[in-house]
Amino acid sequence: MSPIIDFYSDRGICCSGHSRTQLLMASDKEWEDNHSFIQWIFPSTEPSAYSSTAPILTQEDINVFLTNMQVRYSVYPSIQRFMEFLRFQDPVTTKPFWWRERDHNQLRITRALAFFKACYFEEALEDFETRIQDLEFAHPNIISNITYSYWNVYFSDFIK
């Protein structure tokens, strides 16, 4: 098995020595302060610019996420935890801490969207698009057009 699949099968740990379950239980402060785990929670097909030890999502990994329902379902708690961290529960009344120009959490969102698209998590893409649109409506003109252009690449194939 690959390190990514081992991690999502609860048989492996990420570069910081934490299991997926430990990361899901970590505080928001730990999520904000730790920059190496996101490559494990939402692996990419591209090498990380920030961590040379980050795993790379292979076509084999993608096939496992598509065909092994146990591994696929293990991703949903990660999606939910990330949404909680981003304060997506009520984006209209509460402006999230990261909703400002050039915040590193926008890069994390881009990474998550790329993972969702690669592994066909359409419902997560739809959910993220809706939440981001709600935030833009409630708190306009904060996210740059460049960032939106990156995000729209991921939405375009799934969102009608």
PDB file of all heavy atoms in Angstrom, residues 4-5 43 45 57-59 61-67 72 75-76 112-123 125 158:
ATOM      1  N   ILE A   4      -0.235   7.154   1.616  1.00  0.00           N
ATOM      2  CA  ILE A   4      -1.516   7.870   1.684  1.00  0.00           C
ATOM      3  C   ILE A   4      -2.642   6.909   2.044  1.00  0.00           C
ATOM      4  O   ILE A   4      -3.456   7.185   2.928  1.00  0.00           O
ATOM      5  CB  ILE A   4      -1.812   8.577   0.341  1.00  0.00           C
ATOM      6  CG1 ILE A   4      -0.794   9.682   0.093  1.00  0.00           C
ATOM      7  CG2 ILE A   4      -3.238   9.129   0.314  1.00  0.00           C
ATOM      8  CD1 ILE A   4      -0.810  10.244  -1.320  1.00  0.00           C
ATOM      9  N   ILE A   5      -2.692   5.779   1.381  1.00  0.00           N
ATOM     10  CA  ILE A   5      -3.744   4.800   1.650  1.00  0.00           C
ATOM     11  C   ILE A   5      -3.566   4.211   3.047  1.00  0.00           C
ATOM     12  O   ILE A   5      -4.543   4.007   3.771  1.00  0.00           O
ATOM     13  CB  ILE A   5      -3.781   3.704   0.559  1.00  0.00           C
ATOM     14  CG1 ILE A   5      -4.050   4.342  -0.815  1.00  0.00           C
ATOM     15  CG2 ILE A   5      -4.818   2.643   0.898  1.00  0.00           C
ATOM     16  CD1 ILE A   5      -5.302   5.209  -0.913  1.00  0.00           C
ATOM     17  N   PRO A  43      -3.927  14.981  -0.070  1.00  0.00           N
ATOM     18  CA  PRO A  43      -2.731  14.834  -0.903  1.00  0.00           C
ATOM     19  C   PRO A  43      -2.973  15.342  -2.323  1.00  0.00           C
ATOM     20  O   PRO A  43      -4.107  15.376  -2.802  1.00  0.00           O
ATOM     21  CB  PRO A  43      -2.476  13.324  -0.887  1.00  0.00           C
ATOM     22  CG  PRO A  43      -3.781  12.708  -0.535  1.00  0.00           C
ATOM     23  CD  PRO A  43      -4.514  13.698   0.314  1.00  0.00           C
ATOM     24  N   THR A  45      -1.522  15.561  -6.551  1.00  0.00           N
ATOM     25  CA  THR A  45      -0.774  14.889  -7.610  1.00  0.00           C
ATOM     26  C   THR A  45       0.509  15.639  -7.946  1.00  0.00           C
ATOM     27  O   THR A  45       1.341  15.127  -8.693  1.00  0.00           O
ATOM     28  CB  THR A  45      -1.632  14.750  -8.888  1.00  0.00           C
ATOM     29  OG1 THR A  45      -2.045  16.060  -9.304  1.00  0.00           O
ATOM     30  CG2 THR A  45      -2.850  13.878  -8.645  1.00  0.00           C
ATOM     31  N   LEU A  57      -0.010  12.074  -4.518  1.00  0.00           N
ATOM     32  CA  LEU A  57      -1.165  11.266  -4.878  1.00  0.00           C
ATOM     33  C   LEU A  57      -0.948  10.667  -6.268  1.00  0.00           C
ATOM     34  O   LEU A  57      -0.791  11.394  -7.243  1.00  0.00           O
ATOM     35  CB  LEU A  57      -2.418  12.156  -4.869  1.00  0.00           C
ATOM     36  CG  LEU A  57      -3.765  11.501  -5.108  1.00  0.00           C
ATOM     37  CD1 LEU A  57      -4.130  10.596  -3.926  1.00  0.00           C
ATOM     38  CD2 LEU A  57      -4.830  12.578  -5.298  1.00  0.00           C
ATOM     39  N   THR A  58      -0.927   9.351  -6.326  1.00  0.00           N
ATOM     40  CA  THR A  58      -0.701   8.659  -7.598  1.00  0.00           C
ATOM     41  C   THR A  58      -2.034   8.203  -8.190  1.00  0.00           C
ATOM     42  O   THR A  58      -3.069   8.190  -7.497  1.00  0.00           O
ATOM     43  CB  THR A  58       0.195   7.426  -7.394  1.00  0.00           C
ATOM     44  OG1 THR A  58      -0.527   6.477  -6.574  1.00  0.00           O
ATOM     45  CG2 THR A  58       1.518   7.790  -6.738  1.00  0.00           C
ATOM     46  N   GLN A  59      -1.987   7.781  -9.440  1.00  0.00           N
ATOM     47  CA  GLN A  59      -3.197   7.236 -10.066  1.00  0.00           C
ATOM     48  C   GLN A  59      -3.655   5.985  -9.325  1.00  0.00           C
ATOM     49  O   GLN A  59      -4.849   5.744  -9.188  1.00  0.00           O
ATOM     50  CB  GLN A  59      -2.958   6.932 -11.548  1.00  0.00           C
ATOM     51  CG  GLN A  59      -4.232   6.523 -12.281  1.00  0.00           C
ATOM     52  CD  GLN A  59      -5.319   7.583 -12.222  1.00  0.00           C
ATOM     53  OE1 GLN A  59      -5.085   8.736 -12.550  1.00  0.00           O
ATOM     54  NE2 GLN A  59      -6.524   7.198 -11.796  1.00  0.00           N
ATOM     55  N   ASP A  61      -3.376   5.502  -6.083  1.00  0.00           N
ATOM     56  CA  ASP A  61      -4.084   6.011  -4.907  1.00  0.00           C
ATOM     57  C   ASP A  61      -5.496   6.463  -5.282  1.00  0.00           C
ATOM     58  O   ASP A  61      -6.470   6.143  -4.590  1.00  0.00           O
ATOM     59  CB  ASP A  61      -3.346   7.200  -4.279  1.00  0.00           C
ATOM     60  CG  ASP A  61      -1.987   6.844  -3.721  1.00  0.00           C
ATOM     61  OD1 ASP A  61      -1.808   5.719  -3.210  1.00  0.00           O
ATOM     62  OD2 ASP A  61      -1.087   7.711  -3.796  1.00  0.00           O
ATOM     63  N   ILE A  62      -5.590   7.199  -6.371  1.00  0.00           N
ATOM     64  CA  ILE A  62      -6.899   7.688  -6.818  1.00  0.00           C
ATOM     65  C   ILE A  62      -7.835   6.522  -7.080  1.00  0.00           C
ATOM     66  O   ILE A  62      -9.004   6.547  -6.667  1.00  0.00           O
ATOM     67  CB  ILE A  62      -6.741   8.582  -8.071  1.00  0.00           C
ATOM     68  CG1 ILE A  62      -6.021   9.880  -7.699  1.00  0.00           C
ATOM     69  CG2 ILE A  62      -8.100   8.874  -8.710  1.00  0.00           C
ATOM     70  CD1 ILE A  62      -5.562  10.714  -8.876  1.00  0.00           C
ATOM     71  N   ASN A  63      -7.331   5.485  -7.721  1.00  0.00           N
ATOM     72  CA  ASN A  63      -8.152   4.301  -7.986  1.00  0.00           C
ATOM     73  C   ASN A  63      -8.654   3.672  -6.692  1.00  0.00           C
ATOM     74  O   ASN A  63      -9.798   3.209  -6.629  1.00  0.00           O
ATOM     75  CB  ASN A  63      -7.378   3.282  -8.819  1.00  0.00           C
ATOM     76  CG  ASN A  63      -7.147   3.758 -10.240  1.00  0.00           C
ATOM     77  OD1 ASN A  63      -7.830   4.660 -10.729  1.00  0.00           O
ATOM     78  ND2 ASN A  63      -6.169   3.170 -10.905  1.00  0.00           N
ATOM     79  N   VAL A  64      -7.818   3.644  -5.658  1.00  0.00           N
ATOM     80  CA  VAL A  64      -8.257   3.098  -4.370  1.00  0.00           C
ATOM     81  C   VAL A  64      -9.358   3.978  -3.783  1.00  0.00           C
ATOM     82  O   VAL A  64     -10.380   3.473  -3.310  1.00  0.00           O
ATOM     83  CB  VAL A  64      -7.074   2.947  -3.383  1.00  0.00           C
ATOM     84  CG1 VAL A  64      -7.565   2.569  -1.991  1.00  0.00           C
ATOM     85  CG2 VAL A  64      -6.078   1.912  -3.894  1.00  0.00           C
ATOM     86  N   PHE A  65      -9.181   5.303  -3.819  1.00  0.00           N
ATOM     87  CA  PHE A  65     -10.220   6.212  -3.308  1.00  0.00           C
ATOM     88  C   PHE A  65     -11.531   6.045  -4.081  1.00  0.00           C
ATOM     89  O   PHE A  65     -12.610   6.257  -3.523  1.00  0.00           O
ATOM     90  CB  PHE A  65      -9.764   7.669  -3.365  1.00  0.00           C
ATOM     91  CG  PHE A  65      -8.849   8.065  -2.238  1.00  0.00           C
ATOM     92  CD1 PHE A  65      -7.522   8.373  -2.490  1.00  0.00           C
ATOM     93  CD2 PHE A  65      -9.296   8.129  -0.925  1.00  0.00           C
ATOM     94  CE1 PHE A  65      -6.661   8.744  -1.458  1.00  0.00           C
ATOM     95  CE2 PHE A  65      -8.455   8.487   0.112  1.00  0.00           C
ATOM     96  CZ  PHE A  65      -7.137   8.793  -0.150  1.00  0.00           C
ATOM     97  N   LEU A  66     -11.444   5.674  -5.348  1.00  0.00           N
ATOM     98  CA  LEU A  66     -12.644   5.507  -6.163  1.00  0.00           C
ATOM     99  C   LEU A  66     -13.323   4.156  -5.966  1.00  0.00           C
ATOM    100  O   LEU A  66     -14.544   4.060  -6.107  1.00  0.00           O
ATOM    101  CB  LEU A  66     -12.299   5.682  -7.644  1.00  0.00           C
ATOM    102  CG  LEU A  66     -11.907   7.077  -8.079  1.00  0.00           C
ATOM    103  CD1 LEU A  66     -11.429   7.080  -9.530  1.00  0.00           C
ATOM    104  CD2 LEU A  66     -13.059   8.049  -7.901  1.00  0.00           C
ATOM    105  N   THR A  67     -12.564   3.134  -5.642  1.00  0.00           N
ATOM    106  CA  THR A  67     -13.122   1.779  -5.627  1.00  0.00           C
ATOM    107  C   THR A  67     -13.249   1.147  -4.241  1.00  0.00           C
ATOM    108  O   THR A  67     -14.064   0.239  -4.069  1.00  0.00           O
ATOM    109  CB  THR A  67     -12.272   0.845  -6.510  1.00  0.00           C
ATOM    110  OG1 THR A  67     -10.939   0.793  -6.005  1.00  0.00           O
ATOM    111  CG2 THR A  67     -12.263   1.320  -7.958  1.00  0.00           C
ATOM    112  N   ARG A  72     -12.606   5.335   0.919  1.00  0.00           N
ATOM    113  CA  ARG A  72     -13.324   6.531   0.458  1.00  0.00           C
ATOM    114  C   ARG A  72     -14.096   7.174   1.610  1.00  0.00           C
ATOM    115  O   ARG A  72     -14.027   8.383   1.810  1.00  0.00           O
ATOM    116  CB  ARG A  72     -14.265   6.182  -0.684  1.00  0.00           C
ATOM    117  CG  ARG A  72     -14.920   7.424  -1.287  1.00  0.00           C
ATOM    118  CD  ARG A  72     -15.632   7.092  -2.588  1.00  0.00           C
ATOM    119  NE  ARG A  72     -16.201   8.274  -3.192  1.00  0.00           N
ATOM    120  CZ  ARG A  72     -15.532   9.145  -3.935  1.00  0.00           C
ATOM    121  NH1 ARG A  72     -14.256   8.959  -4.175  1.00  0.00           N
ATOM    122  NH2 ARG A  72     -16.138  10.208  -4.460  1.00  0.00           N
ATOM    123  N   VAL A  75     -12.447   9.500   4.215  1.00  0.00           N
ATOM    124  CA  VAL A  75     -12.116  10.884   3.858  1.00  0.00           C
ATOM    125  C   VAL A  75     -13.153  11.861   4.422  1.00  0.00           C
ATOM    126  O   VAL A  75     -12.819  12.997   4.773  1.00  0.00           O
ATOM    127  CB  VAL A  75     -12.004  11.042   2.324  1.00  0.00           C
ATOM    128  CG1 VAL A  75     -11.804  12.502   1.929  1.00  0.00           C
ATOM    129  CG2 VAL A  75     -10.866  10.176   1.792  1.00  0.00           C
ATOM    130  N   TYR A  76     -14.390  11.439   4.552  1.00  0.00           N
ATOM    131  CA  TYR A  76     -15.461  12.364   4.955  1.00  0.00           C
ATOM    132  C   TYR A  76     -15.235  13.042   6.305  1.00  0.00           C
ATOM    133  O   TYR A  76     -15.491  14.244   6.427  1.00  0.00           O
ATOM    134  CB  TYR A  76     -16.827  11.683   4.869  1.00  0.00           C
ATOM    135  CG  TYR A  76     -17.234  11.468   3.432  1.00  0.00           C
ATOM    136  CD1 TYR A  76     -17.055  10.244   2.802  1.00  0.00           C
ATOM    137  CD2 TYR A  76     -17.743  12.529   2.683  1.00  0.00           C
ATOM    138  CE1 TYR A  76     -17.396  10.066   1.478  1.00  0.00           C
ATOM    139  CE2 TYR A  76     -18.091  12.362   1.357  1.00  0.00           C
ATOM    140  CZ  TYR A  76     -17.911  11.124   0.759  1.00  0.00           C
ATOM    141  OH  TYR A  76     -18.236  10.954  -0.574  1.00  0.00           O
ATOM    142  N   ALA A 112      -7.261  21.186  -1.079  1.00  0.00           N
ATOM    143  CA  ALA A 112      -8.422  20.321  -0.834  1.00  0.00           C
ATOM    144  C   ALA A 112      -9.272  20.189  -2.098  1.00  0.00           C
ATOM    145  O   ALA A 112      -9.690  19.078  -2.459  1.00  0.00           O
ATOM    146  CB  ALA A 112      -9.255  20.870   0.321  1.00  0.00           C
ATOM    147  N   LEU A 113      -9.512  21.293  -2.787  1.00  0.00           N
ATOM    148  CA  LEU A 113     -10.320  21.249  -4.009  1.00  0.00           C
ATOM    149  C   LEU A 113      -9.667  20.361  -5.063  1.00  0.00           C
ATOM    150  O   LEU A 113     -10.355  19.598  -5.752  1.00  0.00           O
ATOM    151  CB  LEU A 113     -10.531  22.664  -4.558  1.00  0.00           C
ATOM    152  CG  LEU A 113     -11.327  23.625  -3.676  1.00  0.00           C
ATOM    153  CD1 LEU A 113     -11.352  25.013  -4.298  1.00  0.00           C
ATOM    154  CD2 LEU A 113     -12.724  23.110  -3.396  1.00  0.00           C
ATOM    155  N   ALA A 114      -8.355  20.447  -5.190  1.00  0.00           N
ATOM    156  CA  ALA A 114      -7.640  19.606  -6.157  1.00  0.00           C
ATOM    157  C   ALA A 114      -7.799  18.127  -5.803  1.00  0.00           C
ATOM    158  O   ALA A 114      -8.013  17.287  -6.689  1.00  0.00           O
ATOM    159  CB  ALA A 114      -6.165  19.995  -6.204  1.00  0.00           C
ATOM    160  N   PHE A 115      -7.719  17.809  -4.514  1.00  0.00           N
ATOM    161  CA  PHE A 115      -7.913  16.430  -4.064  1.00  0.00           C
ATOM    162  C   PHE A 115      -9.338  15.970  -4.355  1.00  0.00           C
ATOM    163  O   PHE A 115      -9.561  14.878  -4.883  1.00  0.00           O
ATOM    164  CB  PHE A 115      -7.586  16.312  -2.576  1.00  0.00           C
ATOM    165  CG  PHE A 115      -7.905  14.970  -1.993  1.00  0.00           C
ATOM    166  CD1 PHE A 115      -7.111  13.867  -2.267  1.00  0.00           C
ATOM    167  CD2 PHE A 115      -8.999  14.806  -1.158  1.00  0.00           C
ATOM    168  CE1 PHE A 115      -7.408  12.614  -1.734  1.00  0.00           C
ATOM    169  CE2 PHE A 115      -9.301  13.568  -0.608  1.00  0.00           C
ATOM    170  CZ  PHE A 115      -8.501  12.470  -0.898  1.00  0.00           C
ATOM    171  N   PHE A 116     -10.328  16.823  -4.023  1.00  0.00           N
ATOM    172  CA  PHE A 116     -11.729  16.460  -4.268  1.00  0.00           C
ATOM    173  C   PHE A 116     -11.966  16.172  -5.751  1.00  0.00           C
ATOM    174  O   PHE A 116     -12.654  15.226  -6.098  1.00  0.00           O
ATOM    175  CB  PHE A 116     -12.678  17.577  -3.828  1.00  0.00           C
ATOM    176  CG  PHE A 116     -12.614  17.956  -2.379  1.00  0.00           C
ATOM    177  CD1 PHE A 116     -13.042  19.214  -1.977  1.00  0.00           C
ATOM    178  CD2 PHE A 116     -12.134  17.087  -1.410  1.00  0.00           C
ATOM    179  CE1 PHE A 116     -13.003  19.587  -0.650  1.00  0.00           C
ATOM    180  CE2 PHE A 116     -12.083  17.458  -0.070  1.00  0.00           C
ATOM    181  CZ  PHE A 116     -12.526  18.713   0.311  1.00  0.00           C
ATOM    182  N   LYS A 117     -11.394  17.011  -6.603  1.00  0.00           N
ATOM    183  CA  LYS A 117     -11.589  16.829  -8.036  1.00  0.00           C
ATOM    184  C   LYS A 117     -10.891  15.558  -8.526  1.00  0.00           C
ATOM    185  O   LYS A 117     -11.476  14.775  -9.278  1.00  0.00           O
ATOM    186  CB  LYS A 117     -11.091  18.041  -8.812  1.00  0.00           C
ATOM    187  CG  LYS A 117     -11.407  17.958 -10.291  1.00  0.00           C
ATOM    188  CD  LYS A 117     -11.086  19.246 -11.000  1.00  0.00           C
ATOM    189  CE  LYS A 117     -11.444  19.143 -12.481  1.00  0.00           C
ATOM    190  NZ  LYS A 117     -11.197  20.410 -13.183  1.00  0.00           N
ATOM    191  N   ALA A 118      -9.660  15.340  -8.101  1.00  0.00           N
ATOM    192  CA  ALA A 118      -8.901  14.162  -8.539  1.00  0.00           C
ATOM    193  C   ALA A 118      -9.592  12.864  -8.143  1.00  0.00           C
ATOM    194  O   ALA A 118      -9.573  11.890  -8.899  1.00  0.00           O
ATOM    195  CB  ALA A 118      -7.482  14.201  -7.968  1.00  0.00           C
ATOM    196  N   CYS A 119     -10.207  12.853  -6.969  1.00  0.00           N
ATOM    197  CA  CYS A 119     -10.828  11.628  -6.441  1.00  0.00           C
ATOM    198  C   CYS A 119     -12.353  11.644  -6.547  1.00  0.00           C
ATOM    199  O   CYS A 119     -13.025  10.799  -5.965  1.00  0.00           O
ATOM    200  CB  CYS A 119     -10.390  11.408  -5.000  1.00  0.00           C
ATOM    201  SG  CYS A 119      -8.619  11.121  -4.839  1.00  0.00           S
ATOM    202  N   TYR A 120     -12.896  12.588  -7.288  1.00  0.00           N
ATOM    203  CA  TYR A 120     -14.323  12.673  -7.577  1.00  0.00           C
ATOM    204  C   TYR A 120     -15.203  12.771  -6.321  1.00  0.00           C
ATOM    205  O   TYR A 120     -16.195  12.064  -6.202  1.00  0.00           O
ATOM    206  CB  TYR A 120     -14.765  11.497  -8.463  1.00  0.00           C
ATOM    207  CG  TYR A 120     -14.088  11.532  -9.800  1.00  0.00           C
ATOM    208  CD1 TYR A 120     -12.905  10.828 -10.000  1.00  0.00           C
ATOM    209  CD2 TYR A 120     -14.588  12.294 -10.842  1.00  0.00           C
ATOM    210  CE1 TYR A 120     -12.240  10.869 -11.222  1.00  0.00           C
ATOM    211  CE2 TYR A 120     -13.932  12.346 -12.067  1.00  0.00           C
ATOM    212  CZ  TYR A 120     -12.761  11.636 -12.242  1.00  0.00           C
ATOM    213  OH  TYR A 120     -12.110  11.691 -13.447  1.00  0.00           O
ATOM    214  N   PHE A 121     -14.837  13.671  -5.448  1.00  0.00           N
ATOM    215  CA  PHE A 121     -15.690  13.999  -4.310  1.00  0.00           C
ATOM    216  C   PHE A 121     -16.548  15.196  -4.715  1.00  0.00           C
ATOM    217  O   PHE A 121     -16.357  16.320  -4.251  1.00  0.00           O
ATOM    218  CB  PHE A 121     -14.848  14.310  -3.062  1.00  0.00           C
ATOM    219  CG  PHE A 121     -14.272  13.093  -2.410  1.00  0.00           C
ATOM    220  CD1 PHE A 121     -12.989  12.667  -2.711  1.00  0.00           C
ATOM    221  CD2 PHE A 121     -15.022  12.368  -1.498  1.00  0.00           C
ATOM    222  CE1 PHE A 121     -12.458  11.540  -2.112  1.00  0.00           C
ATOM    223  CE2 PHE A 121     -14.495  11.233  -0.889  1.00  0.00           C
ATOM    224  CZ  PHE A 121     -13.213  10.814  -1.201  1.00  0.00           C
ATOM    225  N   GLU A 122     -17.510  14.941  -5.617  1.00  0.00           N
ATOM    226  CA  GLU A 122     -18.321  16.013  -6.186  1.00  0.00           C
ATOM    227  C   GLU A 122     -19.101  16.780  -5.131  1.00  0.00           C
ATOM    228  O   GLU A 122     -19.202  18.003  -5.187  1.00  0.00           O
ATOM    229  CB  GLU A 122     -19.307  15.467  -7.232  1.00  0.00           C
ATOM    230  CG  GLU A 122     -18.668  14.818  -8.407  1.00  0.00           C
ATOM    231  CD  GLU A 122     -18.602  13.293  -8.275  1.00  0.00           C
ATOM    232  OE1 GLU A 122     -18.669  12.777  -7.142  1.00  0.00           O
ATOM    233  OE2 GLU A 122     -18.473  12.626  -9.305  1.00  0.00           O
ATOM    234  N   GLU A 123     -19.644  16.047  -4.148  1.00  0.00           N
ATOM    235  CA  GLU A 123     -20.452  16.709  -3.123  1.00  0.00           C
ATOM    236  C   GLU A 123     -19.610  17.664  -2.273  1.00  0.00           C
ATOM    237  O   GLU A 123     -20.086  18.721  -1.854  1.00  0.00           O
ATOM    238  CB  GLU A 123     -21.194  15.699  -2.243  1.00  0.00           C
ATOM    239  CG  GLU A 123     -20.313  14.696  -1.515  1.00  0.00           C
ATOM    240  CD  GLU A 123     -19.769  13.552  -2.379  1.00  0.00           C
ATOM    241  OE1 GLU A 123     -20.316  13.231  -3.436  1.00  0.00           O
ATOM    242  OE2 GLU A 123     -18.751  12.974  -1.960  1.00  0.00           O
ATOM    243  N   LEU A 125     -16.955  19.317  -3.450  1.00  0.00           N
ATOM    244  CA  LEU A 125     -16.751  20.476  -4.326  1.00  0.00           C
ATOM    245  C   LEU A 125     -17.974  21.382  -4.322  1.00  0.00           C
ATOM    246  O   LEU A 125     -17.855  22.604  -4.217  1.00  0.00           O
ATOM    247  CB  LEU A 125     -16.441  20.026  -5.750  1.00  0.00           C
ATOM    248  CG  LEU A 125     -15.029  19.534  -6.008  1.00  0.00           C
ATOM    249  CD1 LEU A 125     -14.953  18.826  -7.342  1.00  0.00           C
ATOM    250  CD2 LEU A 125     -14.047  20.688  -5.952  1.00  0.00           C
ATOM    251  N   PHE A 158     -17.698  20.034 -12.296  1.00  0.00           N
ATOM    252  CA  PHE A 158     -18.750  19.381 -11.534  1.00  0.00           C
ATOM    253  C   PHE A 158     -19.956  20.274 -11.302  1.00  0.00           C
ATOM    254  O   PHE A 158     -21.065  19.808 -11.228  1.00  0.00           O
ATOM    255  CB  PHE A 158     -18.231  18.904 -10.176  1.00  0.00           C
ATOM    256  CG  PHE A 158     -17.208  17.821 -10.299  1.00  0.00           C
ATOM    257  CD1 PHE A 158     -15.895  18.043  -9.966  1.00  0.00           C
ATOM    258  CD2 PHE A 158     -17.562  16.572 -10.779  1.00  0.00           C
ATOM    259  CE1 PHE A 158     -14.936  17.047 -10.087  1.00  0.00           C
ATOM    260  CE2 PHE A 158     -16.613  15.575 -10.903  1.00  0.00           C
ATOM    261  CZ  PHE A 158     -15.311  15.807 -10.555  1.00  0.00           C
TER     262      PHE A 158
END
